[in-house]
Structures are given as C-alpha cells and as structure tokens.
Amino acid sequence: MTPPDGGGDHFAPLTSQMLEVGDGHSLYVGTVGHADGIPAVYLHGGPGSGCQPSHRRLFDPSRFRAVLFDQRGAGRSQPARSREHNNTQHLIADMELVRLALGIERWLVVGGSWGATLGLAYAQAHPDRVSGIVLRATFLGTRAELDWAFDTGLRTFHPGLYEDFLSILTPDERSSPLDAYFRRILDPDPAIHGPAARAWHDTERVLSEARSGRRRLDLEDVHNGGRLPATAFMEAHYFAQESFLATGQLVAGAGRLKAIPGVIVQGQFDLLCPPAMSYALTKAWGNAEIVLVEGAGHAMSEPGVTEAVVAGINALAINHPRQ
C-alpha cells in the first residue's frame, strides 16, 4: 500500500493500492483523511464511471478515513471495461474484501444513483458491517425505473430528445427501445454499438441536469463521433439483467436496515431517479430521513446536492466511534 505525496492537499489520497479480488480482477483502492478517522466508503455511480477527485471532498479529512475504490471494469481497476465475472454479487463480495484488507470493522456507506443501488444491496447482505447509510438519488435497480426514465419520463418532459433517442433505432425496435439499446450497445460491431452508446450516454446526461444547456442530441456526433463512453457498456450489461437483483429486492429487504440510520438526498426534479423511489424506500426502511433539494435534478453538481450529501455524512458521523 503506497502513501502518495499529498503536496499539502488535505484531500489527496492517504494511501492507494491495487487489490486483487479474484476472477482476474484488480481494484484500485484509495483512502483519504487520516488513519484514525471514522471509516466510510464511497460507491461511485454508473455502473462503470469510477471515482473522481471531487468525491474525496465529501469527507472532512480531519474526521474521516474514507475509502474510494473503482468497481470491477471501472476507472483505474483492471482489466479495464471488463464485463466478465462482473455482477452485483461480485461487487458486494469485493466490498467485503476491501473492508477486510483495510482492517475496518464497520463503515459508513455513501453512494448515489447506481452507488445507492450497490450500497443498499451491500447493507442488506452485511448489515452488521454498516454504521450508517447516506444515499443520493435512489435507484432501486428495477426495469420499471429505467422504462420510466428513458421512455415515459423522456417523452413527457423532453419530447424532442425522445424523438432523437428513437431515431437511432429501426421502426420495429422502437416498440421496446430499452431492449434494443441494450442489444446494440453490447453488439461487438462498432458500427452498431458506437452510435447507440453515444446516444444513450448523451441522453442520460441531459436527463441528469434540471437546467441542462442541451435539449437535443447532436446526431452528427452520435453517428460519426469517435468517443466511446465507458459507462454505456457497463450500464447495458447490468441493466439488461435488472442489475442482477430480484425484482423489488431492495424494497423487500429494507427491513434488514431498521437498525441502521440513513439520510437520502433527493433532487426535487430528478428525472432519472424521481422522488417516488426515495419515498418508497424510506417507508420500507423505517429509519431514514429524506432531504429534498428543491429545484435540483439528478447530478451531484446540481445546486445544493453536494452540500446536502456532506451534511448527511457529517450528521451520521456524530455518534460513530473512531477505529
């Protein structure tokens, strides 16, 4: 485990390492804060996006020992973009390997969007290892949520964008656009997966911002652009399998969290993970508070969202013993 040179930046990684977790996968694992701080783990979204330097700033380095790791196939983990031996159960097991490797008994679990999905799945599998949960933008991993976001919600709030989204597909495919997108993105032919991956990524980006400057797809770029967004491929892999969860699993299992306090930060105008999901989860959980951020959308960068997440982390850390 390497202690990097922080260069005076209190949010620089305290340690970093590549941790072998089996099946040929090695995860990038970093910590920030100080060794005696309150243990916490941050779960990035996507799936497939990886942790960013800005995520370290959610944790007061004078109070926390925060763990930020890139999930299988994401960020700096190896092999890059690999979908082999990569499902939700693998990621839950990886979290336990990370926890044990760092000698942590219990930790505060923090995650947003897909990170909320994984955080809930982990906490329900290992409730005795979780001291508290802070979620942003509750995604329960269900097909119904995806159908709403990329079909009903998209055509209701962004009809022009919905038209662009469907234009990538054949008329026959438009009767089930999500299935068609997943097939196309996972197709090995670049001529098929390239436009679909770019269109999926750019549509998701517009939906994530309540005041997005873009309302339509750049179809020239979608069809002829060279970039291939990593998250589109991992999302298609996971979402085509309903996040490798049983339908309704995370709400049905929320009773396992009753002893764990939670804070759920919810953007009022989140079109990807609307407030109804947070409210359904809170009702089943029984020990979580919703913090509604008025006027905000899905992204962490939406006004007021980061501040609410930081406040939730600090609130749950008050009574947490340092290790």
Side-chain angles (χ1 to χ4, degrees):
M1 192 181 303
T2 305
D5 179 7
D9 180 1
H10 295 301
F11 292 98
L14 179 67
T15 63
S16 64
Q17 64 176 308
M18 295 298 294
L19 179 67
E20 292 187 11
V21 293
D23 305 314
H25 285 272
S26 295
L27 306 186
Y28 172 85
V29 181
T31 65
V32 66
H34 64 97
D36 296 326
I38 298 167
V41 60
Y42 180 79
L43 305 175
H44 65 71
S49 65
C51 288
Q52 305 300 322
S54 60
H55 298 153
R56 303 175 199 153
R57 297 183 174 272
L58 298 173
F59 303 94
D60 180 346
S62 71
R63 301 183 67 194
F64 289 95
R65 179 194 183 195
V67 180
L68 298 92
F69 73 98
D70 294 339
Q71 297 157 26
R72 293 192 183 203
R76 292 152 288 187
S77 293
Q78 296 293 325
R81 301 189 181 188
S82 174
R83 301 189 296 271
E84 295 291 324
H85 304 290
N86 193 337
N87 61 39
T88 305
Q89 289 68 44
H90 287 123
L91 303 188
I92 291 170
D94 290 348
M95 289 180 65
E96 277 296 272
L97 290 175
V98 170
R99 183 185 64 78
L100 291 169
L102 296 176
I104 293 172
E105 183 69 22
R106 296 167 72 235
W107 50 10
L108 177 67
V109 174
V110 182
S113 195
W114 164 254
T117 317
L118 178 57
L120 289 167
Y122 171 82
Q124 290 179 19
H126 301 282
D128 56 327
R129 300 304 179 188
V130 179
S131 61
I133 303 172
V134 179
L135 307 180
R136 173 193 61 81
T138 302
F139 175 51
L140 300 174
T142 67
R143 176 58 183 260
E145 292 166 277
L146 295 167
D147 281 333
W148 191 90
F150 288 91
D151 193 341
T152 306
L154 180 56
R155 58 187 161 87
T156 300
F157 291 97
H158 293 281
L161 179 61
Y162 184 65
E163 181 179 298
D164 296 342
F165 185 71
L166 290 186
S167 74
I168 306 300
L169 309 176
T170 67
D172 287 345
E173 289 176 317
R174 293 171 193 172
S175 63
S176 184
L178 262 69
D179 292 322
Y181 260 92
F182 297 154
R183 285 194 302 269
R184 283 176 173 262
I185 292 170
L186 297 175
D187 192 291
D189 184 350
I192 295 175
H193 69 233
R198 289 187 283 269
W200 178 272
H201 171 271
D202 291 357
T203 299
E204 187 174 38
R205 182 69 178 269
V206 173
L207 290 175
S208 71
E209 299 172 345
R211 296 175 179 84
S212 175
R214 294 180 57 184
R215 296 298 180 191
R216 302 293 295 263
L217 295 181
D218 181 342
L219 294 176
E220 172 65 25
D221 179 70
V222 164
H223 286 287
N224 301 309
R227 62 192 173 85
L228 282 176
T231 52
F233 298 94
M234 201 65 73
E235 288 178 4
H237 168 68
Y238 269 78
F239 297 163
Q241 300 296 328
E242 293 207 49
S243 303
F244 298 97
L245 297 168
T247 301
Q249 176 179 329
L250 297 183
V251 170
R256 294 179 58 80
L257 308 177
K258 287 192 182 297
I260 303 172
V263 173
I264 301 174
V265 175
Q266 175 65 55
Q268 180 184 19
F269 298 134
D270 188 338
L271 296 183
L272 287 170
C273 301
M277 301 301 104
S278 290
Y279 279 88
L281 175 64
T282 302
K283 187 174 181 180
W285 185 342
N287 195 16
E289 170 196 2
I290 294 178
V291 177
L292 188 69
V293 183
E294 294 186 5
H298 178 80
M300 181 80 83
S301 58
E302 290 286 282
V305 171
T306 294
E307 293 83 355
V309 172
V310 170
I313 291 170
N314 290 335
L316 292 191
I318 288 175
N319 297 318
H320 192 296
R322 295 175 185 264
Q323 292 210 155

